[in-house]
Amino acid sequence: MKLQIGNIEIRDIRFAPLTEIRDGVLYINERELLEKTAGGDQRIASVEAFIAHPGDSLRIMPVKDVIEPRVKVSGAGGVFPGYCSGVEQVGDGVTHVLHGAAVVTTGRIVGFQEGIIDMSGPGAEYTPFSRTHNVVLKIEPAEQIDQHEHELTLRLAGLRAAAYLGEAGRAVAPDARRDYQTLPLLRQAAQFPELPKVVYVYMLQTQGLLHNTFYYGTDVGRIVPTFVYPTEVMDGAIVSGNCVSACDKNPTYVHQNSPVIHDLYDEHGKTINFLGCVITNENVTLMDKERSSNITAKLVEHLGADAVIISEEGFGNPDADLVMNCNKLERLGVKTVLITDEYAGRDGGSQSLADSTPLGDACVSAGNANQLIHLPKLDTVIGYPEVADVIAGGFDGSLHEDGSISAELQVITGATNELGFHYLSAKSL
């Protein structure tokens, strides 16, 4: 599979009579955008559109998803297969990216585990989406739809909006192009025989309603671990449907731009031979965890990997899946590196993970989600500020009378993202 990504740099977004890209500006016909977002779905009561720029005194909460607009210019299928196109395998051909732009969905959310994006102030330092020019869609569902329909309705609306905006880049010459290629397994393994063969074990949140991830439109909790080409992920084959703590959920945008996949491609042919990805689920029952970790280990062994990187999504219950995958691969002689964040208490002194193993001796931390932060009042709030008191990481009294918020870091979308898609760093003491 060979995919060319063409980045069209978006430096500004404005409403205008015609949806198009000119001189790095994405102009949007607001009426068309709202129509495409609603898509005639009777489960949607209303949609409003806003624009949020880096540096604006603006807060978005609660955030459902963040999606990067892209368009499939050539090759099989289309963006977001299983939703905005058929289920043809994607990951080859040419895809144009509106780099620097994002669709952010908000409104009344099914549950409470959704996050905050601040476009300025100290909160902006923790989220990668304070640096993007955001088309914010406030979507209100019709009354008396159940939770599953509510979640699905918001998910589909955001994908439709991103696909519509992506079309503006179809005929635009990209500012930069890059090719990504993964060969069929035997040819790939033979390409750089002197280099260690590396597989990425990509754990996806799949614990039920509000904790789902989708592959070609299918709930990953319903499938066994499987091999995927990394370029499929760039074309939107993996879509977020989960509402885990905002700090460590993977919005669809993060899947589209996985830094783990990009870094592995950067090292491919230099220090490693990157064979591809194994996606696996995060389960609820012990039997399901055992089954998936067994199949994951078998797949990685069958692929002939010398080493793997394993990333987690979420915390607590998924820590057991992370440790099972680590143990079984290490016992097969496959070296493992784990990526996770920590819930180590507000003082950093508590046990970081719900499970552990002495075989997990190479671990990258994405930060402590329990750290307390203070977010000052901003001039504009898109959404519902009152959810600060019930959001994961918030507490009764988090929202102050002056509009400021005191809460744990986990309220910030992407703050401790377990693919490393954030701006935290470490320092030696």
Side-chain angles (χ1 to χ4, degrees):
M1 301 286 279
K2 183 177 181 180
L3 178 68
Q4 182 181 94
I5 292 290
N7 282 331
I8 301 165
E9 296 297 333
I10 302 300
R11 293 179 284 276
D12 193 9
I13 298 178
R14 303 173 192 170
F15 288 126
L18 183 66
T19 297
E20 61 178 342
I21 298 170
R22 286 187 285 111
D23 301 323
V25 180
L26 172 61
Y27 295 94
I28 302 172
N29 181 306
E30 183 178 4
R31 179 186 58 80
E32 285 187 1
L33 171 64
L34 295 176
E35 288 177 354
K36 293 292 185 180
T37 300
D41 192 335
Q42 297 302 308
R43 298 169 298 187
I44 294 178
S46 66
V47 183
E48 296 177 84
F50 307 86
I51 295 173
H53 297 292
D56 287 351
S57 181
L58 186 150
R59 174 169 294 146
I60 310 164
M61 65 184 295
V63 173
K64 163 60 178 166
D65 199 6
V66 185
I67 311 156
E68 185 171 59
R70 297 187 172 199
V71 61
K72 200 94 181 90
V73 175
S74 68
V79 293
F80 312 122
Y83 293 111
C84 298
S85 60
V87 292
E88 295 88 353
Q89 180 170 290
V90 295
D92 66 353
V94 177
T95 295
H96 285 181
V97 177
L98 275 57
H99 187 254
V103 171
V104 178
T105 50
T106 186
R108 296 204 181 276
I109 304 299
V110 183
F112 59 87
Q113 287 183 291
E114 285 304 274
I116 298 171
I117 294 174
D118 279 359
M119 300 304 296
S120 63
E125 298 301 313
Y126 292 105
T127 177
F129 305 115
S130 64
R131 277 106 165 144
T132 50
H133 296 275
N134 299 322
V135 178
V136 185
L137 298 169
K138 185 180 178 184
I139 305 164
E140 297 301 337
E143 294 182 4
Q144 298 179 333
I145 63 172
D146 68 23
Q147 291 176 307
H148 295 80
E149 290 293 301
H150 186 166
E151 190 283 319
L152 174 63
T153 299
L154 268 63
R155 175 165 26 105
L156 291 175
L159 297 175
R160 286 193 296 263
Y164 165 71
L165 295 176
E167 282 291 337
R170 181 177 290 277
V172 177
D175 296 287
R177 294 180 174 89
R178 178 172 173 182
D179 291 338
Y180 299 88
Q181 185 173 25
T182 298
L183 300 172
L185 180 61
L186 295 181
R187 291 168 56 195
Q188 185 63 71
Q191 188 180 34
F192 302 107
E194 73 285 0
L195 296 177
K197 296 182 287 296
V198 175
V199 167
Y200 173 31
V201 174
Y202 198 167
M203 290 174 53
L204 303 175
Q205 180 61 251
T206 56
Q207 293 180 298
L209 177 64
L210 309 185
H211 295 72
N212 291 332
T213 307
F214 299 87
Y215 178 59
Y216 288 89
T218 296
D219 184 349
V220 179
R222 298 172 56 191
I223 65 176
V224 296
T226 189
F227 176 85
V228 304
Y229 283 99
T231 53
E232 293 178 72
V233 184
M234 298 179 184
D235 264 353
I238 296 177
V239 165
S240 174
N242 75 64
C243 306
V244 296
S245 291
C247 64
D248 56 14
K249 72 173 286 182
N250 294 326
T252 299
Y253 188 108
V254 173
H255 291 301
Q256 295 171 290
N257 293 277
S258 167
V260 178
I261 290 175
H262 280 268
D263 287 354
L264 287 170
Y265 268 127
D266 284 344
E267 292 302 313
H268 178 63
K270 301 174 185 176
T271 61
I272 62 169
N273 187 347
F274 181 29
L275 300 182
C277 304
V278 170
I279 60 170
T280 183
N281 38 35
E282 297 177 351
N283 298 286
V284 177
T285 70
L286 180 60
M287 181 176 68
D288 288 334
K289 293 177 185 292
E290 291 284 6
R291 180 191 299 112
S292 288
S293 56
N294 286 342
I295 296 172
T296 297
K298 178 179 70 175
L299 260 177
V300 170
E301 182 183 36
H302 180 68
L303 293 170
D306 300 304
V308 297
I309 291 177
I310 309 174
S311 66
E312 182 180 12
E313 183 172 17
F315 70 101
N317 189 295
D319 295 345
D321 300 86
L322 180 73
V323 166
M324 284 184 180
N325 286 324
C326 174
N327 279 335
K328 292 173 183 179
L329 286 164
E330 282 281 349
R331 287 166 183 159
L332 289 173
V334 180
K335 296 180 179 179
T336 66
V337 175
L338 310 180
I339 310 176
T340 181
D341 63 356
E342 304 177 53
Y343 285 75
R346 294 176 182 177
D347 63 355
S350 300
Q351 180 173 317
S352 296
L353 302 177
D355 199 1
S356 62
T357 172
L359 297 179
D361 57 0
C363 185
V364 178
S365 172
N368 178 23
N370 293 136
Q371 176 186 336
L372 274 175
I373 57 171
H374 181 76
L375 306 175
K377 177 185 181 297
L378 297 181
D379 292 342
T380 302
V381 177
I382 302 174
Y384 298 97
E386 63 269 21
V387 302
D389 285 355
V390 296
I391 204 168
F395 43 84
D396 187 24
S398 280
L399 179 64
H400 304 301
E401 288 186 5
D402 64 356
S404 63
I405 296 171
S406 296
E408 294 184 353
L409 184 58
Q410 60 178 304
V411 302
I412 300 291
T413 299
T416 61
N417 178 266
E418 291 162 296
L419 302 189
F421 197 84
H422 59 63
Y423 294 99
L424 289 179
S425 61
K427 63 181 180 180
S428 300
L429 297 176

